[in-house]
Structure formats: structure tokens, C-alpha cells
Amino acid sequence: MASEFTMRVWRGDISGGEFKDYRVEAQEGMVVLDVIHTIQATQAPDLAVRWNCKAGKCGSCSAEINGKPRLMCMTRMNLFESGDTITISPIKTFPLLRDLVTDVSFNYEKAKKIPALKLKAKEADGTRRMYQDDVDRVQEFHKCIECFLCQDVCHVIRDHEDNKPDFAGPRSFVRMASLEMHPLDEEDRRELLKVDAGLGYCNITKCCTEVCPEGIHITDNAIIPLKERVVDAYYDPVVWLMNKLTGK
Amino acid sequence: MSDQAVAVNRGGPTDKTLRIDSWWVEPVVTVGMLSTFLIYTTWAALVNEHYYVAPYLSPFYSPCLSTSCAHVTLGLFDWPLSPAILILWAPAGFRLTCYYYRKAYYRSFWMSPPACAVRDGHAQYSGETRFPLLMQNLHRYFFYAATLVVLFLWWDALLAFRFPTADGGSEFGMGLGTLVLIANAAFLSLYSFSCHSCRHLCGGGLDVLSQSPLRLKLWRQVSRLNENHMLFAWISLVGVMLTDVYVRFISMGYISDVRFF
């Protein structure tokens, strides 16, 4: 059964813009991205929207729906009541290119600064082994689809543009956790985490976890364990003393 | 950073938030709950009376380290003020630096941010990179201290089975207060051992967990508990307050303990 909605969609670019209302009929089973495509096809052919897979796997169609960072392709229209007004705006943390499309290159620049996996030496038989118990922990981080909703919702950079040079953001921390906890990696990224990536800026408000469409426990399983590792290296006097005594 | 600055730099809407749900409910409830606890605990810790009625000792005064205590656990010295002051810094510091409570009070009291995708209440932000918030990194030391306190609370729960008799001796028994003290120690244990620092110390800090089977087991168990850390944080917070109220009301004669045997 079809339902009618008013879609308030942000139209504009970095120089300015405004919300424009579109009356749209949504069929059963439609998601927000379908409705945006309907608007494109029938009322606003110049509406800019980034999308790709429409299956929650490419991370392209990130937007803010009624103010909440979400994937448009994973937000079903039956979440709303017929007759509702639904606000669709671009993700706020990154510079707007046009309408719903933002420039997310900040995230790729941060990714470039993360040292890649540095493999341990091979064992005597010429192989490297890792056990399932060790792999399980980092598998969760590999689910990341780089939608950058966690980066968008993080108030450290969302509300404080001046922090961008000093803070890598939750997506980068997930990547660093996947490397730092890797059983075959021997790179030490703790100085990078503390100094250049600005892990100390995170005040654990868990918004990144709340918006992650892949259900990654970003705060509990990536950021807090990394914070604890930084504590080991810089703030724990007992660990510091032990390391001095054992020559580590 | 003002709205205007965001608009100039990035484009897009400049509203404080576009959320239309009741995002403010959670911070308001959190402020209410934590404020109630803080006010009650401060009063109960300073009042220095009605914290012991045999065989029940209020958790706010355990372990009682002053020789002037109504029920001495370890009489280390004579302390002229409330003996609660000697020990409450440990659980207070543990909760203050707890990763869950940080989320709760940064959002609700400090509005940094008040809710997800709602504008931060401050123009400048440096997070936990400077003093005094840099001290949050000492959480694991408060975990050690708070764990010691929890051990004493289990000791108190055991002592709550030993009721005084008319001839000055004691007998084995159980009252509702015994169950209250056991439940309190259990909830506080769940809260303490589901802590993120505990999880790290048990095995989270290792890259190759499979080479330390005992630590791997511990880490898995603590990780399971850790999933409910927020729940344990609230249950134990309310529980410890109600335990004090129960002991205090019996001591003041407002209610009588139910004795099972």
C-alpha cells in the first residue's frame, strides 16, 4: 500500500542552500534512497546524491535522516508514519560539494598516515601461523564499510573544525585496532595513537558505536582497548618501571 | 566554534540539531539519577551515625579503618572525622574514571555532546588530553583499590550471618539484611569485574591471546560481563544506596529486620 510523505531535502553547495519540500508517494518495501531516486526521476533531476550498492555494503549513501546519521539504503520508509515530513541532510562533518554529496577525503588523508601491517619473521619451517582465537578479535573490525557515519557523528570534529588536524576519528581507530591487535603484526602504533591521531580527544560518548550500520562495537572493542594500550605505554608508572627493569 | 563558522567552512544546515526525537530525555534522567546519588552519598558519608546495626554494616563505611568506628573492620588509627572519608575515595574514583560513567556525565552534565548529532555545548574542546581530564588514565588504579573494597564487602556479607545473642555471644542466622548485603556485594563485583581496564589487564593487552590460555579464558569471561557494564553500573549504584538506606532505617528504628532463622 502506498503512503505519502513530505521529503525536506537539503539543496545547495558550500556557498549556501536551503531545504526544499517534495511530496512523494512511497510504495511498500521502499527505503529512503528509493524515495530520493523517485524525487530525482520525477521532480528534481539535478539532485546530487552519492550511492552505489543499495545493499548497505558500499557505504556511499550516508546522510542525516531526521538529524540522525544513517545509510539511506538501510532506512526503510515504514519506519515513518504516512503523512510525516522527513528531513534529509548531508553528513555535517565534511565540506559540502552539492545537495547530499560531501567531500570525505579527510578520511582518506588520515588513513594514509596509518602504518600498514608489519609482519613478524617467519617461523623455522618458513611459515607464519595464527590461531582462530587471535583472529576472532580483529575480524569484527574488518566489517567496516567506510560509510564514515562514525566520523560524521563524532563531536570532536563535527563541532570543532579546529580539531581536524589533530584527531584521526573513530574510523581510523578501528583500522588501527585491527592492525595493533593483529597476531602477526609487530609495529607499535601507540605513539601515533597518542600524539598524531589524538586518541586522548575521544571522550567515549559512544555515538560512533550507536550509528555504525555494521554493528561494530567501536568504543568498547577498538577505542577503549587502544586507550588502555596507550596507558600501558605512557601513564602507568608500574608498567613503566617493569619495562625499565626488564629492558623492554 | 559558532554555527556561522560551520556554515562558512562546510555548507549544509547550521541547526543545533535536526533530530525530532526526545534526545534530551536520557541526559535529564542521568542528571537526576547521578545527582540524587551524589547528594545522598555525601550526606550519608558525612553524617557519621546509624551506619551499623549488628550484624549489618553500611557499605559506605566498609571497611571501617578508624578505631572510633561503631564496627571496626581494621582499626588502623583514630580518625576524628567520619570513617567513610577514609575509604569512599576508592569507589568514588573508580566510578568517576569509569569508561561508562564518563560517557554518562560528559553527555548529561558537560553536554559534550548532550546526545549524538546534537551540537556540543562548548566552543572549544580538548577532550582528555590535558589536566585534569588526563587523570582519567589512572582508572586501572582505582579499579585495584575498588576491588579491595569489594573484598571487604564480601567479608561484611559473611559477617551478616553472625547475629549477636542476649548473653553477649553470637549465633548463626540469616535476615533480610543478610540477603541485602550479599546482593550488594554481588552487584558491585559484577560492576567491578566487567570494567574495561579489568578486561585489558586480563588479556586484552595481548596480541597473541592463544599463547596464554588462562588469560584468554579470563578475557572471554570479562568480555561477556563487559557487554553489560552499563547495566551493572546502574544496578550497583542504586543497590549500594538502598543497602545503606536499609541499614540506616533499621539502625534508626524506622523498620525492623526480617529474621528468617
Side-chain angles (χ1 to χ4, degrees), chain B:
Chain B
M1 178 171 290
S2 69
D3 290 345
Q4 213 51 42
V6 172
V8 169
N9 289 335
R10 299 181 189 155
T14 57
D15 309 64
K16 177 182 175 184
T17 183
L18 291 168
R19 286 181 64 168
I20 54 172
D21 58 329
S22 305
W23 57 264
W24 47 270
V25 170
E26 190 182 316
V28 167
V29 170
T30 306
V31 165
M33 296 278 286
L34 290 181
S35 300
T36 304
F37 180 79
L38 276 173
I39 293 166
Y40 178 79
T41 307
T42 307
W43 172 79
L46 296 178
V47 72
N48 198 14
E49 58 181 358
H50 298 301
Y51 58 83
Y52 180 71
V53 56
Y56 308 136
L57 175 63
S58 161
F60 291 156
Y61 286 79
S62 177
C64 224
L65 302 178
S66 170
T67 51
S68 61
C69 281
H71 172 78
V72 179
T73 312
L74 288 172
L76 300 179
F77 45 80
D78 187 29
W79 174 257
L81 305 173
S82 168
I85 296 168
L86 291 172
I87 47 109
L88 278 187
W89 60 268
F94 183 50
R95 287 192 190 257
L96 193 68
T97 58
C98 163
Y99 285 103
Y100 166 67
Y101 283 110
R102 274 143 83 175
K103 170 200 164 185
Y105 63 73
Y106 282 138
R107 279 197 190 189
S108 54
F109 284 88
W110 198 243
M111 295 190 294
S112 187
C116 302
V118 177
R119 193 194 309 137
D120 199 318
H122 303 267
Q124 295 294 318
Y125 175 86
S126 58
E128 298 177 344
T129 59
R130 296 179 193 164
F131 184 82
L133 295 183
L134 196 63
M135 303 305 282
Q136 304 279 28
N137 289 306
L138 295 178
H139 181 52
R140 63 181 60 171
Y141 284 92
F142 287 111
F143 164 70
Y144 301 142
T147 300
L148 273 178
V149 172
V150 168
L151 292 178
F152 279 106
L153 292 178
W154 277 111
W155 175 244
D156 292 336
L158 281 177
L159 292 182
F161 284 98
R162 200 176 66 177
F163 285 80
T165 54
D167 60 2
S170 61
E171 63 180 5
F172 182 74
M174 190 169 89
L176 182 57
T178 314
L179 297 180
V180 168
L181 260 63
I182 289 172
N184 177 56
F187 290 141
L188 286 169
S189 300
L190 286 169
Y191 170 59
S192 297
F193 295 113
S194 62
C195 153
H196 292 84
S197 285
C198 174
R199 188 184 181 211
H200 174 78
L201 297 162
C202 284
L206 300 174
D207 291 340
V208 189
L209 279 161
S210 58
Q211 285 178 1
S212 309
L214 181 64
R215 293 185 72 182
L216 173 62
K217 269 186 187 169
L218 269 174
W219 177 76
R220 280 193 178 138
Q221 293 299 330
V222 175
S223 294
R224 269 188 212 113
L225 288 177
N226 181 259
E227 288 170 17
N228 295 306
H229 192 51
M230 178 183 81
L231 180 69
F232 297 143
W234 283 113
I235 291 177
S236 61
L237 187 89
V238 174
V240 74
M241 191 165 73
L242 291 181
T243 303
D244 180 84
V245 168
Y246 187 78
V247 173
R248 192 168 297 279
F249 277 13
I250 297 173
S251 172
M252 295 171 84
Y254 290 168
I255 58 171
S256 298
D257 185 36
V258 180
R259 182 82 183 266
F260 300 128
F261 58 86

